Amino acid sequence: MATARKQQISLVDTAYYHCVARSVRRAFLCGEDKLSGQSYEHRRGWVENKFHFLTQVFAIDVCAYAVMSNHYHVVLFIDKAKAKQWSMQEVLERWHRLYKGTLLTQQYCRGDKLEKTLLDIVKATAAVYRKRLMKISWFMGYINEGIARKANQEDNCTGRLWEGRFKSQALLDEAALAACMAYVDLNPIRAKIAKTPEDSTHTSVKLRCKQAEKGQQPKALLPFIGNPRKAMPKGLPFELADYLQLIELTGRCIKEDKRGYIEEKQPQILSRLNISAENWLIITTEFSTQFHGAIGHEDVLSDYCQRNKIKRRHNLSHCNQLFG
């Protein structure tokens, strides 16, 4: 029996989540349909552009993503503090970039004078919008609905494009976060549609590599800010150079089928997270089959299950084996 969505998303436990949406049709979401010869490659850009746009609207940041032929992966960070800092005006303006809102919210944003009773209604509406702008279900729903409409219009058909609702996994600690991001970034290499991370089109790692050449980090992605420390700014708790080096080494092992071998001078990130090179390669090639549901070390996984009233710790043995 599937876990209820409200039990899957728990900001008390973590702000990081891995989401997957999969197409239901034989005709690809993206890529080329070998049967008909028609190319849907341009649709990868639709998904990627929506990721970049929505990070400007939602209190949600993208950590990693990969747009594949019939599905996409995205690792998200929910910034609750950011959402709380927005003024009511900013909340409404952000929402109006997505939807029309109500007549009253439109009047308020135009600067029309409203009576107290009507103003109270606007405040209550803004409170609802604020919560929605930090919810993964609204973020993913906006992407999937928009892509489905465009694809149906292009294909001149109706019906479902997506295989039910998206799937989500809670990433409970740094080891789970790093492993999941690497798994997502290396999707095209495992699928043999790219030879190197920097050649993996429509992925976050390609965007990061491109900006790293300029000594910058992409504005559309949550930045790497280094190892955890006091007064830590918002960002991924790893060094960018360390992560990119690890992705390069891992991709090389996968590409050349040298399973279990990463250079002796492995990036410090693996040592800090206490993950062996052999286990790292298992994780980054078999993440979707090894883990179902929340992921993390035994202590955080147990706390998560207890807090969310989940009786079975599905990933416990694999987490202990691969992260321990």
Side-chain angles (χ1 to χ4, degrees):
M1 187 174 181
T3 305
R5 184 74 63 188
K6 64 181 180 180
Q7 289 183 306
Q8 294 180 31
I9 309 296
S10 171
L11 293 184
V12 175
D13 296 286
T14 182
Y16 294 98
Y17 293 86
H18 170 221
C19 300
V20 185
R22 190 174 297 275
S23 169
V24 75
R25 292 184 189 155
R26 178 194 60 78
F28 287 176
L29 165 64
C30 309
E32 183 177 333
D33 186 342
K34 294 181 180 179
L35 195 63
S36 66
Q38 185 172 352
S39 175
Y40 300 92
E41 192 66 20
H42 59 284
R43 293 181 182 175
R44 294 182 196 270
W46 292 358
V47 180
E48 189 172 30
N49 289 339
K50 282 193 177 291
F51 288 154
H52 298 170
F53 166 65
L54 292 183
T55 56
Q56 301 173 33
V57 181
F58 279 77
I60 295 177
D61 292 288
V62 172
C63 305
Y65 66 83
V67 186
M68 306 300 288
S69 62
N70 66 343
H71 68 285
Y72 68 82
H73 294 264
V74 61
V75 178
L76 301 173
F77 170 78
I78 304 173
D79 192 348
K80 186 176 181 180
K82 180 179 180 180
K84 287 185 175 181
Q85 291 174 356
W86 291 336
S87 65
M88 185 168 74
Q89 178 81 22
E90 187 172 2
V91 168
L92 296 177
E93 288 176 350
R94 284 173 177 270
W95 186 257
H96 289 166
R97 294 182 67 182
L98 306 174
Y99 305 101
K100 291 182 179 179
T102 67
L103 178 61
L104 288 178
T105 61
Q106 291 174 1
Q107 289 177 335
Y108 179 87
C109 287
R110 286 199 303 264
D112 295 352
K113 189 174 182 179
L114 299 175
E115 295 181 359
K116 184 180 182 304
T117 304
L118 298 180
L119 187 59
D120 288 341
I121 295 175
V122 173
K123 290 179 179 179
T125 304
V128 173
Y129 291 166
R130 190 188 302 272
K131 290 181 180 179
R132 289 178 180 176
L133 288 171
M134 51 183 284
K135 283 193 173 182
I136 286 178
S137 57
W138 280 89
F139 184 98
M140 296 291 289
Y142 186 87
I143 293 174
N144 289 353
E145 182 181 356
I147 297 299
R149 288 181 183 276
K150 289 186 70 174
N152 281 348
Q153 185 177 19
E154 188 175 72
D155 295 341
N156 193 27
C157 68
T158 58
R160 297 176 75 177
L161 175 66
W162 302 103
E163 189 179 75
R165 293 192 69 189
F166 68 93
K167 297 179 181 179
S168 66
Q169 291 178 296
L171 306 175
L172 301 177
D173 55 26
E174 292 176 26
L177 175 61
C180 186
M181 286 181 60
Y183 169 79
V184 169
D185 277 330
L186 291 167
N187 251 259
I189 292 178
R190 286 196 312 277
K192 301 186 185 304
I193 60 176
K195 292 184 177 180
T196 63
E198 59 269 25
D199 292 331
S200 302
T201 57
H202 303 294
T203 63
S204 54
V205 70
K206 178 180 175 65
L207 187 58
R208 291 193 189 276
C209 288
K210 187 176 180 179
Q211 291 296 310
E213 292 175 355
K214 305 175 185 178
Q216 300 173 355
Q217 294 202 52
K219 293 182 179 179
L221 299 174
L222 188 66
F224 286 84
I225 49 88
N227 298 334
R229 56 191 180 277
K230 292 183 178 179
M232 183 175 172
K234 186 182 80 170
L236 294 164
F238 314 110
E239 295 288 349
L240 173 62
D242 205 19
Y243 178 78
L244 291 181
Q245 182 190 8
L246 181 60
I247 293 297
E248 168 65 22
L249 291 174
T250 308
R252 192 181 306 151
C253 292
I254 294 172
K255 183 179 64 177
E256 298 178 0
D257 196 25
K258 293 182 179 178
R259 188 166 186 166
Y261 294 91
I262 288 184
E263 295 177 4
E264 290 184 5
K265 292 184 178 180
Q266 63 185 33
Q268 294 180 359
I269 187 173
L270 286 188
S271 299
R272 184 167 69 81
L273 298 177
N274 195 30
I275 302 176
S276 70
E278 184 176 359
N279 284 348
W280 175 257
L281 288 172
I282 294 173
I283 292 168
T284 51
T285 54
E286 303 175 13
F287 191 92
S288 61
T289 56
Q290 292 284 345
F291 304 109
H292 301 279
I295 307 159
H297 286 87
E298 181 175 1
D299 53 346
V300 292
L301 185 59
S302 297
D303 290 343
Y304 171 84
C305 292
Q306 184 176 9
R307 192 175 290 114
N308 293 282
K309 298 179 180 179
I310 300 173
K311 295 181 179 179
R312 294 184 62 187
R313 297 175 294 177
H314 295 282
N315 293 319
L316 183 59
S317 60
H318 285 154
C319 287
N320 284 338
Q321 179 183 353
L322 298 172
F323 291 144

